[in-house]
């Protein structure tokens, strides 16, 4: 009994198949999210390093509207490269990576919000950096949780299949049975339907039979008329001549 109870709880390993439409759409979405966020962080880090700002200075310098220093620039480059790796790998790895970094960005925003204008503000955060961290964290969580978290996931979703293996197998069997039933019904309809040659043959046979019946009827009518014509003079000749009294 215990083993029977534990078996339904086991999950399959999630593997994306790009030939399936749902898997391909989710995989593309995860890749795009990781690539866009990684590209922005990589550009922000490179521009911060070009300004030659100190690594642990608390005043920092402005880059594309955000405050930065050397340590924040290097950290942004590292995170951007990791997101690019997730974009290349894709699938469940990219989804998990997006969610993990989304949570970390939100926590980082709360942490640096408490360290603003303090001597431990080693990343040179300002209020715009805090807001930016919150926005990037929410976006990364959205890119990672899309099609993965929810109570109304479709049955062909890879995460739904991993969480409900027995029900997924049941729906797959039902779908296979329906496809086989429709295929057999289509084959039977093709077999029952007459071919064009057969249809043409029946039409020609029917026309031939009608023509033969019409010709036979006309011949019988002509024979009857001839017989009536030959009988008429014979009856006239067989009648005795009438005599008249003097």
């Amino acid at each position: 009994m215990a083993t029977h109870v534990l078996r339904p709880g086991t999950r399959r390993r999630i593997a994306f198949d790009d030939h399936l439409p749902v898997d391909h759409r989710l995989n593309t979405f995860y890749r795009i999210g990781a690539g866009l966020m990684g590209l922005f962080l990589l550009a922000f880090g490179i521009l911060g390093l070009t300004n030659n700002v100190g690594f642990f200075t608390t005043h920092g310098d402005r880059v594309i509207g955000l405050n930065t220093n050397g340590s924040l620039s290097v950290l942004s480059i590292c995170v951007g490269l990791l997101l690019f790796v997730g974009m290349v790998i894709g699938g469940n790895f990219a989804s998990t990576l997006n969610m993990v970094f989304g949570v970390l960005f939100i926590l980082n925003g709360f942490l640096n919000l408490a360290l603003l204008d303090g001597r431990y503000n080693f990343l040179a955060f300002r209020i715009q950096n805090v807001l930016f961290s919150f926005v990037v964290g929410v976006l990364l969580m959205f890119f990672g949780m899309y099609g993965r978290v929810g109570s109304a996931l479709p049955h062909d979703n890879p995460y739904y299949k991993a969480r409900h293996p027995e029900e997924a197998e049941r729906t797959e069997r039902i779908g296979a049975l329906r496809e086989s039933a429709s295929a057999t019904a289509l084959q039977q309809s093709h077999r029952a339907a007459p071919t064009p040659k057969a249809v043409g043959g029946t039409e020609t046979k029917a026309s031939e039979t009608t023509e033969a019946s019409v010709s036979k009827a006309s011949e019988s009518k002509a024979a009857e008329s001839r017989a009536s014509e030959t009988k008429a003079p014979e009856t006239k000749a067989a009648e005795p001549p009438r005599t008249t009294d003097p």
Side-chain angles (χ1 to χ4, degrees):
M1 290 294 292
T3 56
H4 180 71
V5 173
L6 290 175
R7 281 178 184 174
T10 58
R11 296 183 179 181
R12 295 178 179 176
R13 182 178 175 273
I14 299 174
F16 282 79
D17 187 2
D18 282 338
H19 295 288
L20 301 177
V22 177
D23 294 20
H24 179 71
R25 184 172 66 249
L26 292 177
N27 193 11
T28 304
F29 190 80
Y30 299 149
R31 288 174 184 269
I32 291 174
L36 289 177
M37 293 296 104
L39 180 63
F40 185 83
L41 292 174
L42 193 62
F44 174 73
I46 292 173
L47 290 176
L49 286 179
T50 56
N51 289 337
N52 296 322
V53 186
F55 266 80
F56 296 105
T57 181
T58 56
H59 63 275
D61 195 7
R62 286 292 186 94
V63 174
I64 57 176
L66 299 172
N67 209 50
T68 185
N69 59 7
S71 57
L72 183 59
S73 299
V74 172
L75 185 62
S76 300
I77 291 173
C78 293
V79 175
L81 290 176
L82 286 175
L83 288 173
F84 267 114
V85 172
M87 181 191 68
V88 173
I89 297 175
N92 186 48
F93 179 80
S95 172
T96 306
L97 191 68
N98 288 337
M99 286 196 298
V100 169
F101 276 119
V103 174
L104 290 178
F105 266 89
I106 292 176
L107 294 177
N108 182 55
F110 281 113
L111 177 63
N112 286 278
L113 181 62
L115 298 176
L116 286 179
D117 299 329
R119 59 178 181 175
Y120 296 107
N121 189 13
F122 297 116
L123 296 179
F125 259 56
R126 296 292 181 266
I127 189 63
Q128 61 268 22
N129 295 77
V130 174
L131 296 176
F132 173 77
S133 184
F134 287 151
V135 171
V136 172
V138 171
L139 287 175
L140 283 174
M141 288 185 66
F142 172 71
F143 282 120
M145 297 171 67
Y146 177 80
R148 182 171 184 173
V149 179
S151 59
L153 295 177
H155 290 182
D156 54 352
N157 185 284
Y159 295 102
Y160 182 88
K161 292 178 181 179
R163 294 167 190 163
H164 307 86
E166 294 182 354
E167 190 171 352
E169 289 179 358
R170 191 183 303 113
T171 54
E172 287 178 358
R173 286 197 299 268
I174 292 172
L177 290 174
R178 287 178 180 174
E179 289 179 358
S180 62
S182 61
T184 53
L186 187 62
Q187 289 179 357
Q188 290 178 358
S189 63
H190 280 305
R191 291 175 182 175
T195 58
K197 291 183 178 180
V199 172
T202 53
E203 290 180 353
T204 52
K205 288 180 181 179
S207 61
E208 288 177 357
T209 52
T210 52
E211 290 177 358
S213 60
V214 169
S215 61
K216 287 181 180 179
S218 60
E219 288 177 358
S220 62
K221 287 182 181 180
E224 289 177 358
S225 61
R226 290 173 186 172
S228 61
E229 288 177 358
T230 52
K231 286 180 181 178
E234 288 179 358
T235 52
K236 289 180 181 180
E239 289 181 356
R242 295 181 180 178
T243 57
T244 57
D245 292 335

